[in-house]
Structure formats: C-alpha cells, structure tokens
Amino acid sequence: MAKRCEVCGKGPQFGHAISHAHNLTKRRWNPNLQNVRVLVNGAVKRMKVCTRCLRSGRVQKAVR
C-alpha cells in the first residue's frame, strides 16, 4: 500500500543524501503515518493518517 495520508494526501519526498565528500545518493523522506481508527460519517474506519492531520484535528479518533 502506498505511503500516503488518506486525509491530506501527503506522500514521500525525494532528494539526495549528501556525504562529507559531497557524493550524492538518492533517498526519500517518508511521512509519519499512523494507523488510526477514525469516525467517518458516524462509522468507524481504519485509515493511514499523518501526524500533522492528527495534531491539527482534521480527523476525529474513534473511542473504543
């Protein structure tokens, strides 16, 4: 499954890892995704949500 937030669509960012000798190798920065039980239209659903969306209150976590 893709490393993408199901709320905001944030995905991996790409760039270079730069060594002290300035050798460039490709790398990627993955978003901090959490599997969360979320209330969506009154129903509980499991979603992959980035921590930015969790902190900002864009999703409402379901109570157990």
Side-chain angles (χ1 to χ4, degrees):
M1 187 164 192
K3 294 231 180 232
R4 192 160 292 278
C5 176
E6 296 182 40
V7 177
C8 67
K10 179 188 278 190
Q13 300 288 315
F14 297 92
H16 290 104
I18 304 179
S19 70
H20 183 69
H22 212 273
N23 296 327
L24 303 179
T25 55
K26 294 185 183 216
R27 65 155 294 180
R28 69 189 247 170
W29 287 267
N30 290 323
N32 188 358
L33 296 180
Q34 305 293 321
N35 284 317
V36 182
R37 295 172 75 247
V38 178
L39 274 176
V40 179
N41 297 331
V44 177
K45 182 180 174 186
R46 291 189 71 91
M47 298 174 73
K48 283 190 175 181
V49 181
C50 68
T51 52
R52 175 75 53 96
C53 291
L54 285 174
R55 287 191 328 187
S56 65
R58 290 189 192 181
V59 294
Q60 183 181 2
K61 290 175 73 172
V63 293
R64 289 213 165 218

